[in-house]
Amino acid sequence: PAAIGPYSQAIEKAGMIFVSGQLPILPETGQFPSEDVKDQTKASLENIRGILEEAGVSFEDVVKVNVYLADINDFGAMNEIYGQYFQAPYPARAAFAVAGLPKNAKVEIEVTAVR
C-alpha cells in the first residue's frame, strides 16, 4: 500500500535498505484483513515482502526487525506467524508494546536489509 504520510516505503543507503514500518493494510482494499493479530502480522510481513522484492532482496537479507504491538499479550500469536517468514540465522529483533498504532492497528513491523 502507499505510504500514509510524508515518508518513503523504503530507502537505500550504502547497501542497506531501510523499510518503513508496515501496517497490515491490504494493498487491494486499503483495509486490514481482520482484527486478528495473526492476520495483521501476515499482512504486514507480506507488505514487507513486496517492498524487499522490489528492491531486489528477500527476507534472507534482513538483519534487523522492530515489531510494534498495541498489546504485548499478542506477542505469542505474532511470533507464531513471524516464525514462518524468517529462518536461522534469524535477524536481530526487538518487540515493543506501544500506546497506539496508526489506524488502530494491532501490529506494525519495520526491517533493515543488507544487499
Side-chain angles (χ1 to χ4, degrees), residues 1-5 7 23-26 29-32 34-35 40 70 100-108:
I4 62 170
Y7 61 89
L23 293 171
I25 297 171
L26 299 174
T29 66
Q31 303 296 317
F32 295 157
S34 76
E35 290 299 313
Q40 289 195 15
L101 291 167
K103 299 186 174 259
N104 293 314
K106 293 186 183 264
V107 65
E108 181 175 359

Side-chain angles (χ1 to χ4, degrees), residues 19-87:
V19 178
S20 295
Q22 293 301 301
L23 293 171
I25 297 171
L26 299 174
E28 53 277 0
T29 66
Q31 303 296 317
F32 295 157
S34 76
E35 290 299 313
D36 183 82
V37 72
K38 287 183 180 181
D39 292 340
Q40 289 195 15
T41 299
K42 182 177 180 182
S44 289
L45 289 166
E46 287 299 322
N47 289 340
I48 289 168
R49 180 194 307 274
I51 293 167
L52 293 173
E53 287 176 353
E54 184 71 23
V57 296
S58 71
F59 282 110
E60 293 177 1
D61 301 301
V62 172
V63 295
K64 178 69 168 90
V65 180
N66 285 330
V67 178
Y68 305 98
L69 294 164
D71 183 347
I72 199 65
N73 293 312
D74 285 336
F75 180 85
M78 173 281 299
N79 206 46
E80 182 180 327
I81 301 303
Y82 176 94
Q84 297 172 13
Y85 285 80
F86 294 97
Q87 316 228 333

